Amino acid sequence: MGTEMGLRESKKQETRRLISDHATRLFMEQGFEATTIAEIADAARVAKKTVTNYFARKEDMALDHHEAFTASLAAAVAGRGDGESPLDALRRECLTALEHHDPVAGFAGPAFAGMIVDSPTLTARLRELHDRREDELATALAALDTEAGAGERPGAGGDLAPRAAAALIAAAHRLLFRRIQELTLAGDPDDRITAVLVPEAEHVFDLLAAALDGSWYAGRR
């Protein structure tokens, strides 16, 4: 039974990828708003209902990594090493993503980047995903505050401190994501973008460390 369930789940993931791949191709060729669910279903050779069963929102067919995207900052904090501050973990994960040209960091090629900036719907959805990523980071930082007894420390800031830290960190990641998009649309190859972004990201994280100095988020408490 376990093997059968595994095969069934594998088939579902394969169908999901198939729909997403065909949808994204059509979005890049025709534009997001101009592409219909029926055209996507025909291209993927599935029923329209199958498309909507797998994707409640049309834009999630293009932004199919949205769950990994929104969880990425919180996951970096949760997975930090022993003695590593949340900010140092986020810096390390950001630089690793740049080195590996991670799509979650913004590397997706000029056609994909153009598809997003040309679509008001996808631009709005991406903004919403950035907001959700910030919220998840704030929740993760608040949970660590609770575990560490941060609320008992003078000047810890209570509930506002993790939200303020998350807002600063998420804003920096939005800036870096947008920077990758800009360079991609300007025609720079991924290796060149990484060469430009690594020192810029280091500088941004130095600014974050200065802004969060005195808090345990930056490892200076």
Side-chain angles (χ1 to χ4, degrees), residues 175-186:
L175 175 64
L176 295 172
F177 188 97
R178 190 176 302 121
R179 181 77 166 124
I180 292 171
Q181 279 190 313
E182 291 171 352
L183 293 175
T184 298
L185 291 171

Side-chain angles (χ1 to χ4, degrees), residues 65-81 84-97 102 104-106 128-142 144 162-177 204-205 208 217:
H65 297 288
H66 62 93
E67 291 179 353
F69 179 84
T70 56
S72 59
L73 302 186
V77 170
R80 71 195 190 286
E84 189 176 32
S85 72
L87 188 61
D88 284 343
L90 288 160
R91 182 196 292 257
R92 173 175 52 77
E93 289 293 328
C94 177
L95 295 175
T96 298
D102 192 339
V104 172
E128 178 185 335
L129 294 176
H130 276 294
D131 289 343
R132 284 179 52 193
R133 184 164 70 161
E134 178 182 328
D135 290 342
E136 291 197 24
L137 175 60
T139 298
L141 294 177
L144 294 178
R163 289 163 54 194
L168 289 172
I169 295 166
H173 278 82
R174 289 178 198 244
L175 175 64
L176 295 172
F177 188 97
V204 166
F205 273 93
L208 285 173
Y217 304 118

